[in-house]
Amino acid sequence: MTGPMRVGVLISGRGSNLQALIDASKSRDYPATIGCVVSNVAGVEGLRRAERAGIATHVVPHTAYGSREAFDDAVGQILSSSDTALVCLAGFMRVLSDPFVQKWHGRLVNIHPSLLPAFKGLNVHRRVIESGARISGCSVHFVVPELDSGPIIAQAAVPVWPDDTPDALASRTLAAEHRLYPLALRLLAEGRVILDREQVRFRDVEQAGGELFSPPL
Ligand code: GRF
């Protein structure tokens, strides 16, 4: 019998999505376990969350490396030595180099606080409000070299209210992220979602469909 899939989580800060994955992985029937957490920033809350959960933590300061590739190599070595099968980016604020992305192709996912392909990049919530959109949300997607552009695995919608502020929309979206990421990781760890020639293929996801792709508003 094989055990739960070993996941490495890359963070840069608060780590609330990391916490959602940690909490989910505590359930006995959850098919993934967090094997290690790597942060490019020392002293962040996400590292403390991991330590409290008894998860191995590593700080790899990007400023200590002469190139993006050298930093990515250092991160990759930690992931490999922890027998990582899948990498989750959770508020990781570094762009990963092409060789790293290629090496982890189909095994590297990210969560982004918009309904991709709309609103890639930073300052998402301010731009959503300024656009006049009435619905926003979050997306879990496979990572490809182009930022926030990989094949989409799962999304959740949240309303944008008439008097919304970026902070209010961010916290409403974050609550949806905390539901979506564990659900998406479950599908990945159970092999019910795979990346096949740049296409996301699903198997046996009908039952999850209602909740996963559109949690109640
Ligand atoms: C989240 O909104 C995530 O979608 C984005 O960065 C934020 C990270 O928050 N990529 P946290 O560190 O998980 O609390």
Side-chain angles (χ1 to χ4, degrees):
M1 207 182 94
T2 56
M5 177 182 270
R6 281 180 73 81
V7 174
V9 183
L10 307 192
I11 62 166
S12 300
R14 177 179 57 186
S16 69
N17 277 290
L18 165 65
Q19 187 70 57
L21 298 179
I22 291 172
D23 292 347
S25 70
K26 284 183 185 153
S27 292
R28 254 176 14 119
D29 73 333
Y30 198 72
T33 186
I34 315 295
C36 68
V37 169
V38 182
S39 174
N40 65 309
V41 183
V44 295
E45 192 183 342
L47 287 167
R48 291 193 291 278
R49 293 176 191 273
E51 282 159 13
R52 276 201 297 273
I55 297 167
T57 60
H58 306 264
V59 177
V60 185
H62 58 277
T63 46
Y65 294 84
S67 69
R68 203 173 279 286
E69 285 76 8
F71 167 76
D72 290 358
D73 274 353
V75 172
Q77 275 173 29
I78 291 168
L79 294 169
S80 298
S81 66
S82 175
D83 283 332
T84 302
L86 182 88
V87 180
C88 290
L89 307 184
F92 182 65
M93 299 305 285
R94 301 291 302 166
V95 174
L96 292 160
S97 60
D98 287 9
F100 184 96
V101 172
Q102 294 308 339
K103 179 173 177 201
W104 291 93
H105 183 258
R107 301 180 298 147
L108 176 60
V109 300
N110 181 42
I111 187 155
H112 182 77
S114 78
L115 288 177
L116 292 172
F119 302 105
K120 298 173 182 176
L122 297 174
N123 299 316
V124 169
H125 304 296
R126 180 178 55 71
R127 289 187 289 127
V128 167
I129 290 169
E130 285 172 4
S131 77
R134 298 273 66 103
I135 296 178
S136 191
C138 51
S139 309
V140 176
H141 64 93
F142 285 107
V143 174
V144 299
E146 198 188 335
L147 196 68
D148 299 331
S149 298
I152 293 165
I153 297 164
Q155 295 185 306
V158 300
V160 184
W161 300 126
D163 295 324
D164 245 340
T165 63
D167 282 353
L169 179 57
S171 66
R172 193 176 314 122
T173 305
L174 201 60
E177 292 180 44
H178 296 162
R179 296 198 298 274
L180 189 69
Y181 217 172
L183 287 166
L185 179 56
R186 172 182 283 280
L187 291 189
L188 286 155
E190 290 175 348
R192 292 155 73 197
V193 173
I194 57 160
L195 186 61
D196 175 23
R197 284 161 293 171
E198 303 311 313
Q199 300 280 324
V200 177
R201 305 232 181 265
F202 296 96
R203 190 163 54 81
D204 302 330
V205 294
E206 290 80 6
Q207 281 172 308
E211 195 187 353
L212 181 60
F213 302 106
S214 180
L217 293 179

